[in-house]
Amino acid sequence: MDVTPPVPQIPTPTWEEWPDLQQWVKHHQERPGGDQASAAFESLADRLEHFPGGWLMVSSTEKLFNWARKSSVWPVTFGLACCAIEMMATFASRFDVERFGMVPWASPRHADLMIVSGTVTIKMAPMLKRIYEQMPDPKWCISMGSCANSGGPFRHGYHVVKGVDRVVPVDVYVPGCPPTPESLMFGILKLQEQVADFQRTGRRSPPGPPPD
């Protein structure tokens, strides 16, 4: 009886057997919307392509700069009255506003946000306006608390400015006496929306009437 050695059956190699090309096919299948990248990433990119080993994003420097301005608003560090205590608590470890890209800065020449936290007196108004004018454009202002919005319980005093919008332009009003850190954080998020809209259209959103 003749015993013949088996003839190995070698399959024809195909390009899909290579791991890198398998990964290529896997990532080029249709995926549900929003699964490839976050909304913030997609807003920056004019085009997104995925290939074995990473992502390729095509964008413009203008979009990157506008995203940086919206996501890294630096407030100038100063406080006027009791609302400043709530502002300090907002920037402390419990609420950690730095996760929004905000860093309190002592020099107005390197800051682009003024948070008016407290009562603005007639004696303090010229110094407040001087600090605001030292800030580079584009600059923004948040009026924090009833005293800054409209004078608050001291509205009828002879020494109190009836709203900081009579001294500097205000973009966002945060009501309360004093506002909680959550209220200030909500105002900061609304301001970021205004900054994004300004970078997209070139026009500032008109602020609403100041709350009492």
Side-chain angles (χ1 to χ4, degrees), residues 65-177:
F65 291 158
N66 293 341
W67 173 79
R69 290 191 184 102
K70 178 183 76 73
S71 304
S72 61
V73 180
W74 288 9
V76 61
T77 55
F78 80 100
L80 298 179
C82 48
C83 283
I85 300 175
E86 296 294 327
M87 183 181 68
M88 296 173 198
T90 307
F91 283 92
S93 58
R94 180 175 182 182
F95 296 95
D96 190 22
V97 180
E98 289 189 7
R99 57 198 167 102
F100 296 149
M102 301 185 66
V103 179
W105 207 255
S107 172
R109 294 174 178 83
H110 298 87
D112 50 5
L113 171 62
M114 171 181 284
I115 302 178
V116 183
S117 54
T119 310
V120 181
T121 61
I122 296 175
K123 187 176 181 180
M124 185 64 187
M127 276 68 77
L128 186 143
K129 186 175 182 180
R130 180 184 301 176
I131 293 174
Y132 183 81
E133 291 175 347
Q134 289 176 350
M135 296 166 57
D137 290 321
K139 50 192 171 187
W140 311 88
C141 180
I142 292 179
S143 176
M144 178 183 177
S146 299
C147 291
N149 294 339
S150 60
F154 313 106
R155 178 181 179 86
H156 301 290
Y158 70 93
H159 62 294
V160 173
V161 177
K162 279 67 176 175
V164 72
D165 54 354
R166 303 189 182 193
V167 182
V168 295
V170 176
D171 298 289
V172 175
Y173 293 93
V174 179
C177 186

